[in-house]
Amino acid sequence: LTIAHHTGRTAFAWDDLVEAVTTLDAGTAIGSEYVPHERRAVAIHEAGHAVAGHVYMTSRESTRLTIKKRGDQGVGGHHWMIEKEERLFSFQHEMFQDLIWGLGAMAAERVVYGENSNGVGGDVAGVTARSAMMVGRAAMGPQPFAVTPREGETEEEAHRRVLDRFEKIGLQIMSRSGGGGPFDADPIAGVLGDPSKRTVAAQVIGQAYVTAHNLAILNRGAIERIADALED
C-alpha cells in the first residue's frame, strides 16, 4: 500500500505486492546500470543457477530470477527457489543437488567465458558450509557413481582415481578462512580442520561441480537464451 501511495494511487495491485515481497526478501532496488559486459556476465551467472535448480532441485520451485541490483551490498541479481512442500529433513541426494545448484553459476561462467568471476564468492562460501555440515553432522559422502577402468586398472583403482580427481577439484573450489572469518566457529571449522573429513567434503564439492559443469556444457544454448531474457 505504501508503494501505491508513493505513486499517487489509492489501492495496491498485484505488481505492488510482488515488489513489496521482493524488497523484503532481497532489499531495495538500486537504480544503477551495468556496463554491457558485466550485465551479460551477471545474466549468465544467474541463468546457471536457474538451469541447475530447474534440473536438480525437483522438490523446489523457482519463484524469482533477476539481475536487478538490490540491497545494501548491491547484489547483482539472484535466483530464488522455495520448497513445494513443508519439509522436516533432507536426504543426502537432495543436499547434494543443493550443492549443484550453488555451483551452477560458476559452471556456467566457466563454460561461457573459460573462467569465473569473483561474483561466485558467496556461492563458494555457501557450498563449503553446506558440504561441511553434510560430512560433519550427517555422516554423508559423495554420491554413488559408475567407473570405467583404464587398461590394467581394477574397478577399485578406477574408483579411487575418480575420487582423487573430485578431491582436487573440490579443494580448489573450497572456501578457506585465514583467521577471523565465517568458518572459525564450530562446527564448520572443526570439519574442515579434520584431514579425513576435509577430504570427504572436498570430494563432495568436486563431484557436485563436475555435475554442474557437464550440465552447463550440455545446456549452454539454454543458459544463453535465459541470459538474453534477463538482459531484456
Side-chain angles (χ1 to χ4, degrees):
L1 189 59
T2 301
I3 294 173
H5 286 176
H6 185 69
T7 55
R9 290 174 288 121
T10 58
F12 67 84
W14 177 256
D15 287 346
D16 299 315
L17 185 61
V18 172
E19 179 64 24
V21 171
T22 303
T23 300
L24 290 172
D25 283 344
T28 305
I30 299 171
S32 60
E33 294 294 327
Y34 293 104
V35 296
H37 71 277
E38 284 192 345
R39 180 175 64 245
R40 183 64 178 179
V42 174
I44 291 291
H45 179 105
E46 299 303 337
H49 279 312
V51 168
H54 176 71
V55 172
Y56 285 100
M57 304 284 279
T58 55
S59 67
R60 298 185 188 180
E61 182 176 358
S62 293
T63 57
R64 186 163 58 252
L65 179 63
T66 180
I67 62 170
K68 182 180 290 187
K69 294 181 180 181
R70 285 185 174 275
D72 293 339
Q73 303 302 317
V75 175
H78 63 275
H79 174 232
W80 200 273
M81 301 186 79
I82 61 171
E83 293 282 359
K84 296 178 182 179
E85 301 172 312
E86 186 174 349
R87 298 287 302 275
L88 297 177
F89 60 87
S90 299
F91 283 99
Q92 179 176 340
H93 75 277
E94 294 173 316
M95 298 184 73
F96 181 75
Q97 290 165 352
D98 191 37
L99 301 183
I100 299 172
W101 170 79
L103 293 170
M106 175 188 284
E109 289 185 12
R110 287 186 170 178
V111 167
V112 172
Y113 296 111
E115 59 183 349
N116 61 268
S117 70
N118 64 355
V120 305
D123 297 331
V124 168
V127 164
T128 302
R130 290 194 294 276
S131 67
M133 298 295 284
M134 290 172 65
V135 172
R137 279 193 169 180
M140 296 176 179
Q143 294 293 289
F145 59 90
V147 294
T148 302
R150 295 172 177 172
E151 185 176 354
E153 187 180 47
T154 67
E155 185 169 337
E156 183 178 352
E157 289 170 339
H159 192 268
R160 170 48 55 187
R161 169 173 51 81
V162 174
L163 282 176
D164 289 343
R165 179 61 175 157
F166 286 160
E167 181 183 354
K168 183 177 180 180
I169 294 170
L171 287 173
Q172 180 179 339
I173 294 172
M174 186 179 286
S175 183
R176 301 295 182 90
S177 173
F183 301 149
D184 284 352
D186 288 336
I188 297 172
V191 174
L192 300 183
D194 181 286
S196 59
K197 289 290 187 180
R198 188 182 69 168
T199 293
V200 178
Q203 291 170 349
V204 171
I205 294 173
Q207 186 181 26
Y209 179 76
V210 168
T211 305
H213 191 88
N214 286 326
L215 178 72
I217 290 174
L218 293 173
N219 294 277
R220 176 171 177 170
I223 289 172
E224 300 218 46
R225 287 194 297 274
I226 293 170
D228 290 341
L230 284 171
E231 286 194 275
D232 289 344

